[in-house]
mmCIF file of all heavy atoms in Angstrom:
data_model
loop_
_atom_site.group_PDB
_atom_site.id
_atom_site.type_symbol
_atom_site.label_atom_id
_atom_site.label_comp_id
_atom_site.label_asym_id
_atom_site.label_seq_id
_atom_site.Cartn_x
_atom_site.Cartn_y
_atom_site.Cartn_z
ATOM 1 N N SER A 304 -17.424 -1.137 3.074
ATOM 2 C CA SER A 304 -16.312 -0.244 2.742
ATOM 3 C C SER A 304 -15.644 0.253 4.014
ATOM 4 O O SER A 304 -16.318 0.639 4.961
ATOM 5 C CB SER A 304 -16.837 0.948 1.938
ATOM 6 O OG SER A 304 -16.013 2.075 2.139
ATOM 7 N N LEU A 305 -14.346 0.218 4.061
ATOM 8 C CA LEU A 305 -13.641 0.783 5.210
ATOM 9 C C LEU A 305 -12.213 1.134 4.830
ATOM 10 O O LEU A 305 -11.768 0.854 3.727
ATOM 11 C CB LEU A 305 -13.672 -0.167 6.409
ATOM 12 C CG LEU A 305 -13.064 -1.555 6.258
ATOM 13 C CD1 LEU A 305 -11.595 -1.537 6.547
ATOM 14 C CD2 LEU A 305 -13.743 -2.492 7.237
ATOM 15 N N VAL A 306 -11.490 1.739 5.781
ATOM 16 C CA VAL A 306 -10.143 2.218 5.492
ATOM 17 C C VAL A 306 -9.108 1.334 6.185
ATOM 18 O O VAL A 306 -9.263 0.974 7.344
ATOM 19 C CB VAL A 306 -9.986 3.675 5.960
ATOM 20 C CG1 VAL A 306 -8.574 4.167 5.716
ATOM 21 C CG2 VAL A 306 -10.991 4.557 5.251
ATOM 22 N N VAL A 307 -8.072 0.972 5.434
ATOM 23 C CA VAL A 307 -6.959 0.231 6.011
ATOM 24 C C VAL A 307 -5.675 1.008 5.755
ATOM 25 O O VAL A 307 -5.668 1.971 4.996
ATOM 26 C CB VAL A 307 -6.817 -1.185 5.395
ATOM 27 C CG1 VAL A 307 -8.005 -2.041 5.715
ATOM 28 C CG2 VAL A 307 -6.585 -1.086 3.897
ATOM 29 N N CYS A 308 -4.607 0.560 6.395
ATOM 30 C CA CYS A 308 -3.347 1.261 6.238
ATOM 31 C C CYS A 308 -2.258 0.294 5.822
ATOM 32 O O CYS A 308 -2.027 -0.713 6.479
ATOM 33 C CB CYS A 308 -2.976 1.932 7.554
ATOM 34 S SG CYS A 308 -1.334 2.609 7.552
ATOM 35 N N GLY A 309 -1.611 0.579 4.718
ATOM 36 C CA GLY A 309 -0.478 -0.232 4.275
ATOM 37 C C GLY A 309 0.778 0.612 4.321
ATOM 38 O O GLY A 309 0.716 1.820 4.430
ATOM 39 N N ILE A 310 1.933 -0.057 4.257
ATOM 40 C CA ILE A 310 3.193 0.691 4.221
ATOM 41 C C ILE A 310 3.790 0.526 2.834
ATOM 42 O O ILE A 310 3.923 -0.588 2.342
ATOM 43 C CB ILE A 310 4.190 0.145 5.264
ATOM 44 C CG1 ILE A 310 3.660 0.348 6.680
ATOM 45 C CG2 ILE A 310 5.557 0.765 5.082
ATOM 46 C CD1 ILE A 310 4.015 1.646 7.326
ATOM 47 N N GLU A 311 4.086 1.617 2.194
ATOM 48 C CA GLU A 311 4.775 1.536 0.905
ATOM 49 C C GLU A 311 6.111 2.216 1.074
ATOM 50 O O GLU A 311 6.180 3.419 1.279
ATOM 51 C CB GLU A 311 3.951 2.230 -0.183
ATOM 52 C CG GLU A 311 2.761 1.438 -0.658
ATOM 53 C CD GLU A 311 3.158 0.236 -1.516
ATOM 54 O OE1 GLU A 311 4.315 0.172 -1.966
ATOM 55 O OE2 GLU A 311 2.299 -0.635 -1.721
ATOM 56 N N GLY A 312 7.173 1.453 0.986
ATOM 57 C CA GLY A 312 8.495 2.017 1.224
ATOM 58 C C GLY A 312 8.588 2.370 2.691
ATOM 59 O O GLY A 312 8.527 1.514 3.542
ATOM 60 N N SER A 313 8.677 3.663 2.975
ATOM 61 C CA SER A 313 8.749 4.052 4.373
ATOM 62 C C SER A 313 7.518 4.837 4.793
ATOM 63 O O SER A 313 7.466 5.371 5.880
ATOM 64 C CB SER A 313 10.007 4.893 4.582
ATOM 65 O OG SER A 313 10.059 5.898 3.602
ATOM 66 N N ARG A 314 6.532 4.922 3.897
ATOM 67 C CA ARG A 314 5.366 5.767 4.179
ATOM 68 C C ARG A 314 4.115 4.960 4.424
ATOM 69 O O ARG A 314 3.794 4.061 3.662
ATOM 70 C CB ARG A 314 5.062 6.611 2.929
ATOM 71 C CG ARG A 314 5.763 7.908 2.898
ATOM 72 C CD ARG A 314 5.190 8.771 1.817
ATOM 73 N NE ARG A 314 5.196 8.115 0.514
ATOM 74 C CZ ARG A 314 4.919 8.752 -0.615
ATOM 75 N NH1 ARG A 314 4.609 10.015 -0.586
ATOM 76 N NH2 ARG A 314 4.944 8.127 -1.760
ATOM 77 N N PRO A 315 3.351 5.290 5.455
ATOM 78 C CA PRO A 315 2.040 4.658 5.587
ATOM 79 C C PRO A 315 1.081 5.257 4.539
ATOM 80 O O PRO A 315 1.074 6.466 4.352
ATOM 81 C CB PRO A 315 1.580 5.052 6.994
ATOM 82 C CG PRO A 315 2.741 5.708 7.631
ATOM 83 C CD PRO A 315 3.638 6.201 6.561
ATOM 84 N N ILE A 316 0.342 4.394 3.894
ATOM 85 C CA ILE A 316 -0.641 4.879 2.923
ATOM 86 C C ILE A 316 -2.002 4.300 3.264
ATOM 87 O O ILE A 316 -2.136 3.093 3.499
ATOM 88 C CB ILE A 316 -0.232 4.499 1.489
ATOM 89 C CG1 ILE A 316 1.019 5.285 1.117
ATOM 90 C CG2 ILE A 316 -1.352 4.776 0.509
ATOM 91 C CD1 ILE A 316 1.386 5.214 -0.318
ATOM 92 N N PHE A 317 -2.982 5.176 3.337
ATOM 93 C CA PHE A 317 -4.328 4.743 3.693
ATOM 94 C C PHE A 317 -5.150 4.567 2.434
ATOM 95 O O PHE A 317 -5.171 5.448 1.577
ATOM 96 C CB PHE A 317 -4.978 5.774 4.618
ATOM 97 C CG PHE A 317 -4.357 5.776 5.987
ATOM 98 C CD1 PHE A 317 -3.102 6.317 6.175
ATOM 99 C CD2 PHE A 317 -5.009 5.201 7.062
ATOM 100 C CE1 PHE A 317 -2.498 6.285 7.422
ATOM 101 C CE2 PHE A 317 -4.420 5.173 8.314
ATOM 102 C CZ PHE A 317 -3.168 5.720 8.498
ATOM 103 N N VAL A 318 -5.801 3.420 2.338
ATOM 104 C CA VAL A 318 -6.631 3.168 1.169
ATOM 105 C C VAL A 318 -7.977 2.600 1.616
ATOM 106 O O VAL A 318 -8.115 2.099 2.736
ATOM 107 C CB VAL A 318 -5.982 2.156 0.196
ATOM 108 C CG1 VAL A 318 -4.774 2.743 -0.481
ATOM 109 C CG2 VAL A 318 -5.633 0.866 0.897
ATOM 110 N N GLU A 319 -8.928 2.690 0.718
ATOM 111 C CA GLU A 319 -10.240 2.129 1.014
ATOM 112 C C GLU A 319 -10.289 0.699 0.498
ATOM 113 O O GLU A 319 -9.850 0.440 -0.626
ATOM 114 C CB GLU A 319 -11.315 2.965 0.304
ATOM 115 C CG GLU A 319 -12.716 2.494 0.597
ATOM 116 C CD GLU A 319 -13.698 2.874 -0.503
ATOM 117 O OE1 GLU A 319 -13.346 3.676 -1.384
ATOM 118 O OE2 GLU A 319 -14.806 2.339 -0.475
#
Side-chain angles (χ1 to χ4, degrees):
S304 152
L305 60 87
V306 178
V307 295
C308 171
I310 296 271
E311 284 288 345
S313 49
R314 270 192 306 190
I316 292 191
F317 289 73
V318 291
E319 182 205 349

